[in-house]
Amino acid sequence: MDTIRQPRPKIGTFDKLRQASEFTVAGVEDSIPLRVLVQIFVFISIGAMDSVASSNNSIWAIPLSAIAAVWAWYARRTRNILVKLFIAIAMIAMLVIFLNDIVRQTEETRLLLARLLIQLQVLHSFDLPHRKDLGYSIVIGLILMALAATLSQTMIFALWLMAFLLVGLPILLLDHRSRLGVKTVGFEPEKIGVSLLPLSGLLAIVLVLGLTIFAFLPRLPGFQLRNFPVSVNLSVQRQIPKGGILSRQQQQQQGKNGNGNGNGGTGTGGTSNGDSDTLPPLFAPEIDTASSDAKQLNKKRKPELMMRVRSQAELFWRVMAYDQFTGKGWRISRNDPQQIRTVKRNPLNYEFSLPIPTYISIDAPKQSIKPLASQEVVQTYTIVSPNFPNLIPAAAVPNQIFFPSEELDIDQEGMLRGPGALPEDLTYTVISNVVERNPKLLRQSSGEYPRSIRNYYLQVPANLSPRVQETALSFLASARDAQGKPIALDNNYDRVVQIAQSLKQNYAIKPLGFDESKGDLVSQFVEGGGGEESHFVSTMAIMLRSLGIPSRYVVGFASGKFNPFTGLYEVQNIDTQSMVEVFFPPYGWLAFDPVPNRPIFPPSIENNRTFGAVQTFWSWIAQFLPSSVNNFFNWLFDSIGKFVGGVINWLAEMGWIGIAFGLAIAFGFGIGGWALWQFIIWWWQRQRLQQMPIPQRTYRQMLQWLSEQGKPKSPHQTPQEYVESLSDRLSDRQAAAIAQITQIYQDWRYGNRAISYDVSAELKRLLTQLKSKV
């Protein structure tokens, strides 16, 4: 007899939505401590992002996210279909706005991404029923902190990172307890299952291990992607005529009118009220290094951070170069607008391709000399001071610059000038070609110079004292070899080095007391036995010109103080320096520093900063150690270096046999080191196992035995998930023993079960039962 099917009653759309909203969601996360800590975790990441990016997302995102989290707690057991629908629509709208901002380049890409993530997090906070939903919030917090780390340039970020870590550790613990199915009701340590002391110890271990890894992490010459940082939200517009340099009056007027970038000061740097100069009077078309006014301004100048630089190498950040000596200072002789070249940027991005200097490509002597090795060095500059002229610092010979303006000016010395003052927080990137200082090749440089060099860089004052050239020749005649015997300097490179060293050794830094009626600055420097730091540079340049060696006077910034925690060079106004650049055909210009207490050769690509953090840290420690201890460590490191270098040279001299022998030695050391490391791990685990409580020790022994049997526990598995995965791979007797050992361990670890004699005896019996073959 067939069964007659009764028709089912029809259910309307409204009834379906009502039933869905009343549906109880399985696996709901009820832990209030975990939810609260996750929200604090996200709040910290939003605050860190706002702190380093000078944004204000936290003003609205943090309170709104907190309100959403409270709503999500009360609505965690409902399906929230309508809420999910509105959240999805809003997320799509935020994505469309983000893509539109990316195309229009309204702001720096990382800031746009951070804003999108914050918006998505706030929307997501309205629906957090499961543990995995809280996990999405944790991931967003991690990404925001990573973005903040890439933007951070100060140590303030370290405070946010510490808070992030302090909250992150208990979150990992509570998340693990949730995976085990252990409920966490309150915030008390005993209810969570661990006291504050283990957490403090874990925090200390993480900090020490993290700082150690950070210190020894090599700073590789990175920037593998050619997507360089540029302040796309700041645009430097044309404010001055072509090739102009902002004067003090122009910047002051801009500051009063509130237009331009609001910079008050001068093309030489300065404040809006003109009471004191931020920068010394070095950055102008003509500078007077002999006047007492310039000296007084230098003395009044207070240390002030000017810019931060991220660079692949420690270099001298050049700003201006001068070719004509005026007798008491220097000037740029080719500064007419007709002699200034203006370049336009790529219309598709912010890249400027800079022209090759004409003094290298035109009229250069044809010589078959091996070229110097060179390296592209990427530098990213962030202007910090609001009092910065329109002059653009860049290292060596810039090939490309990524700068937020429509055009740039380049003078005949290859120096870059913006169309307006550089605003505060401006970021731009320069790619420079830096040649390696190779004395062997530089000694082969010819003394024949192209016309473009002879016409401008060999000029000396008509009233120059004959004693200047005589002193330069006496310096060359005083050259001695390592045995103290006189040597004849037959190349310009050795002559330049000898003059720089002689100036350092024979003249002192002291007030000059310049008197214009007594002749030029250099003559009075030589007669008086010394002068200011800039006078050493002028004297060397004129001495070289008197010997027929082209030279010029350059000013800029020293590399600054390297911060190993941020990886940035922090450059202050007191880091302004002047140097001598000497022309060596066909290689171009190389810098020398004749000022006492400064190295002759400025830092360049020869100075390896791969392990700069360790070097800086050791230099900091060395200043507190006695000289005898420093000497011992210096001797130790030097001996190790010489031994390793000697072995490498010895093997290289043996040819292929040496290479094979070296590989065999390296292989032997590798095998021996690996064996020693395995023994240390085995011994350490053995000692650690003996010190563990009996439930933890038994559980570890069980895991070790099962791993030896080819059944290891995956890191992502909870103990209960691991037990379930073994149910069909072992005998019933062994599976029961594993389940009981695991349950006793969990009760002790998370349930505060006391360890009695009966429990210890039971665990030993179960472990024996597990390992028995019956």
Side-chain angles (χ1 to χ4, degrees):
M1 182 176 180
D2 297 335
T3 302
I4 302 175
R5 295 183 180 181
Q6 299 294 331
R8 295 182 179 181
K10 294 184 178 180
I11 301 176
T13 305
F14 178 78
D15 294 329
K16 290 181 179 179
L17 291 176
R18 182 177 56 80
Q19 292 179 5
S21 64
E22 295 175 352
F23 183 81
T24 300
V25 182
V28 169
E29 179 56 61
D30 292 317
S31 174
I32 295 179
L34 178 58
R35 287 176 173 273
V36 171
L37 288 178
V38 167
Q39 287 300 314
I40 296 175
F41 189 79
V42 174
F43 294 165
I44 291 173
S45 65
I46 295 175
M49 192 67 204
D50 278 3
S51 175
V52 302
S54 300
S55 55
N56 56 2
N57 293 306
S58 56
I59 296 177
W60 65 270
I62 290 179
L64 188 57
S65 183
I67 295 172
V70 174
W71 156 263
W73 161 257
Y74 286 106
R76 68 190 186 280
R77 295 192 179 277
T78 58
R79 292 295 296 271
N80 300 322
I81 299 298
L82 293 178
V83 174
K84 286 183 170 64
L85 178 61
F86 286 122
I87 290 175
I89 295 174
M91 285 185 172
I92 294 174
M94 294 301 102
L95 179 60
V96 171
I97 295 174
F98 168 74
L99 295 176
N100 179 65
D101 291 340
I102 285 287
V103 173
R104 293 171 52 202
Q105 295 183 334
T106 58
E107 208 167 1
E108 212 275 337
T109 307
R110 290 170 293 180
L111 298 179
L112 295 175
L113 177 60
R115 189 176 66 187
L116 174 65
L117 290 174
I118 292 172
Q119 293 167 347
L120 296 182
Q121 165 57 27
V122 172
L123 293 172
H124 175 66
S125 297
F126 281 93
D127 189 38
L128 300 171
H130 299 93
R131 183 181 64 248
K132 66 178 181 179
D133 298 308
L134 296 173
Y136 297 151
S137 296
I138 295 174
V139 171
I140 290 178
L142 287 171
I143 296 174
L144 287 175
M145 285 299 290
L147 288 172
T150 63
L151 291 168
S152 173
Q153 295 186 348
T154 66
M155 288 297 293
I156 295 178
F157 178 73
L159 301 178
W160 291 102
L161 195 59
M162 282 291 299
F164 194 76
L165 180 61
L166 285 171
V167 178
L169 290 178
I171 284 177
L172 294 176
L173 174 63
L174 293 174
D175 182 79
H176 183 63
R177 288 172 59 86
S178 179
R179 292 174 186 274
L180 295 174
V182 180
K183 293 185 178 180
T184 305
V185 181
F187 286 91
E188 295 84 354
E190 53 272 7
K191 290 185 178 180
I192 294 178
V194 66
S195 64
L196 295 179
L197 185 60
L199 272 180
S200 302
L202 179 60
L203 176 64
I205 292 173
V206 171
L207 286 177
V208 172
L209 186 61
L211 288 174
T212 303
I213 294 174
F214 179 83
F216 286 91
L217 193 68
R219 271 63 174 170
L220 300 176
F223 287 113
Q224 302 301 320
L225 298 177
R226 293 278 168 140
N227 186 15
F228 300 115
V230 178
S231 296
V232 297
N233 58 319
L234 295 175
S235 180
V236 182
Q237 303 296 331
R238 175 64 71 181
Q239 302 171 3
I240 55 177
K242 176 181 177 181
I245 298 176
L246 280 178
S247 67
R248 175 177 301 158
Q249 291 78 11
Q250 286 174 319
Q251 280 199 343
Q252 286 179 352
Q253 187 63 36
Q254 287 180 4
K256 292 177 181 179
N257 296 339
N259 57 7
N261 297 304
N263 287 0
T266 173
T268 65
T271 58
S272 58
N273 56 16
D275 293 335
S276 63
D277 281 332
T278 301
L279 292 174
L282 292 179
F283 307 120
E286 182 173 350
I287 56 175
D288 182 358
T289 60
S291 67
S292 57
D293 292 340
K295 299 172 188 176
Q296 292 299 324
L297 285 173
N298 287 343
K299 292 178 181 179
K300 291 181 181 180
R301 202 165 74 249
K302 296 180 180 180
E304 178 182 328
L305 185 64
M306 301 302 297
M307 60 184 182
R308 298 187 183 97
V309 184
R310 185 183 302 277
S311 175
Q312 296 172 293
E314 182 180 3
L315 299 170
F316 175 69
W317 322 121
R318 301 165 75 248
V319 178
M320 296 285 285
Y322 301 87
D323 63 326
Q324 186 176 30
F325 182 61
T326 62
K328 58 179 181 179
W330 293 82
R331 68 183 294 266
I332 303 174
S333 64
R334 295 169 288 176
N335 200 44
D336 296 332
Q338 295 79 9
Q339 297 172 308
I340 303 296
R341 180 170 181 176
T342 299
V343 293
K344 303 287 185 178
R345 71 174 175 91
N346 188 323
L348 301 179
N349 53 37
Y350 289 90
E351 178 184 0
F352 291 84
S353 296
L354 304 179
I356 299 175
T358 56
Y359 52 76
I360 295 179
S361 61
I362 299 177
D363 295 336
K366 307 300 181 182
Q367 303 177 49
S368 58
I369 298 180
K370 183 180 178 181
L372 288 174
S374 63
Q375 176 181 318
E376 275 194 349
V377 177
V378 180
Q379 320 116 59
T380 296
Y381 299 81
T382 299
I383 304 300
V384 177
S385 173
N387 307 308
F388 213 94
N390 66 312
L391 304 173
I392 302 176
V397 181
N399 294 335
Q400 294 171 285
I401 179 171
F402 296 78
F403 192 87
S405 69
E406 295 296 328
E407 56 187 23
L408 293 176
D409 298 329
I410 307 177
D411 63 19
Q412 293 293 319
E413 309 300 328
M415 302 294 103
L416 302 174
R417 308 178 188 181
L422 306 190
E424 186 179 5
D425 295 329
L426 171 72
T427 296
Y428 66 94
T429 300
V430 179
I431 304 178
S432 299
N433 184 54
V434 184
V435 297
E436 181 181 347
R437 191 184 298 266
N438 188 326
K440 183 178 179 180
L441 293 179
L442 290 172
R443 291 187 179 99
Q444 303 174 14
S445 176
S446 169
E448 300 179 3
Y449 304 104
R451 189 183 308 109
S452 59
I453 297 298
R454 296 194 307 268
N455 291 345
Y456 296 98
Y457 304 104
L458 291 176
Q459 169 264 340
V460 296
N463 60 346
L464 183 69
S465 172
R467 188 173 176 182
V468 175
Q469 186 181 40
E470 294 171 0
T471 304
L473 292 173
S474 67
F475 287 161
L476 300 182
S478 64
R480 298 289 186 273
D481 59 12
Q483 289 74 32
K485 298 180 180 180
I487 56 175
L489 303 178
D490 58 354
N491 62 84
N492 284 343
Y493 179 78
D494 287 336
R495 295 186 185 112
V496 172
V497 173
Q498 178 64 22
I499 289 179
Q501 289 176 335
S502 299
L503 283 171
K504 289 175 179 287
Q505 297 167 0
N506 294 282
Y507 292 89
I509 298 178
K510 62 180 183 179
L512 179 62
F514 175 74
D515 186 352
E516 192 169 358
S517 63
K518 295 181 180 179
D520 64 275
L521 171 67
V522 173
S523 300
Q524 294 185 44
F525 176 91
V526 174
E527 296 285 345
E532 306 288 344
E533 292 184 354
S534 61
H535 302 162
F536 281 81
V537 180
S538 296
T539 301
M540 178 178 174
I542 297 304
M543 281 186 172
L544 293 176
R545 290 187 176 191
S546 69
L547 299 177
I549 302 176
S551 60
R552 65 183 178 186
Y553 185 98
V554 296
V555 295
F557 295 94
S559 56
K561 184 179 180 181
F562 179 71
N563 188 329
F565 294 98
T566 62
L568 302 174
Y569 295 93
E570 298 174 349
V571 184
Q572 296 182 319
N573 55 347
I574 57 176
D575 291 320
T576 51
Q577 283 185 5
S578 55
M579 290 188 187
V580 179
E581 283 190 342
V582 183
F583 186 77
F584 294 92
Y587 305 123
W589 298 94
L590 289 179
F592 297 83
D593 194 342
V595 180
N597 303 321
R598 296 200 318 223
I600 292 180
F601 310 122
S604 186
I605 55 177
E606 297 88 4
N607 303 93
N608 193 332
R609 297 294 305 188
T610 301
F611 295 95
V614 177
Q615 297 167 8
T616 305
F617 184 69
W618 171 249
S619 299
W620 177 75
I621 290 184
Q623 63 182 341
F624 300 106
L625 299 177
S627 58
S628 57
V629 177
N630 279 331
N631 293 335
F632 168 75
F633 279 108
N634 290 334
W635 170 82
L636 179 63
F637 296 150
D638 186 60
S639 300
I640 294 175
K642 288 182 178 179
F643 173 76
V644 174
V647 171
I648 294 176
N649 292 333
W650 176 66
L651 293 175
E653 293 175 356
M654 296 176 62
W656 289 106
I657 298 177
I659 294 175
F661 188 60
L663 291 175
I665 294 176
F667 181 76
F669 273 109
I671 293 295
W674 177 82
L676 178 62
W677 177 249
Q678 293 299 317
F679 173 77
I680 293 174
I681 292 177
W682 172 83
W683 179 84
W684 179 74
Q685 289 179 343
R686 179 184 175 86
Q687 296 298 317
R688 184 168 174 264
L689 198 64
Q690 296 301 321
Q691 298 174 1
M692 290 180 179
I694 184 65
Q696 186 178 13
R697 184 196 316 163
T698 306
Y699 184 71
R700 294 292 181 186
Q701 289 174 332
M702 179 192 75
L703 293 180
Q704 183 178 355
W705 184 82
L706 289 171
S707 179
E708 293 172 354
Q709 303 302 312
K711 304 173 183 66
K713 176 181 176 295
S714 299
H716 68 273
Q717 286 181 312
T718 65
Q720 292 298 334
E721 291 173 343
Y722 181 54
V723 170
E724 294 175 3
S725 69
L726 296 174
S727 58
D728 58 345
R729 301 167 62 187
L730 296 170
S731 65
D732 294 340
R733 179 184 176 87
Q734 290 175 322
I738 293 173
Q740 287 182 278
I741 292 174
T742 302
Q743 188 62 48
I744 293 174
Y745 167 72
Q746 284 196 179
D747 292 343
W748 165 82
R749 178 68 178 82
Y750 301 103
N752 296 326
R753 179 179 179 181
I755 305 174
S756 62
Y757 175 79
D758 294 338
V759 173
S760 301
E762 177 69 10
L763 286 170
K764 292 180 181 178
R765 184 188 66 79
L766 291 171
L767 189 62
T768 304
Q769 174 182 329
L770 172 64
K771 296 182 178 181
S772 63
K773 297 182 179 180
V774 181

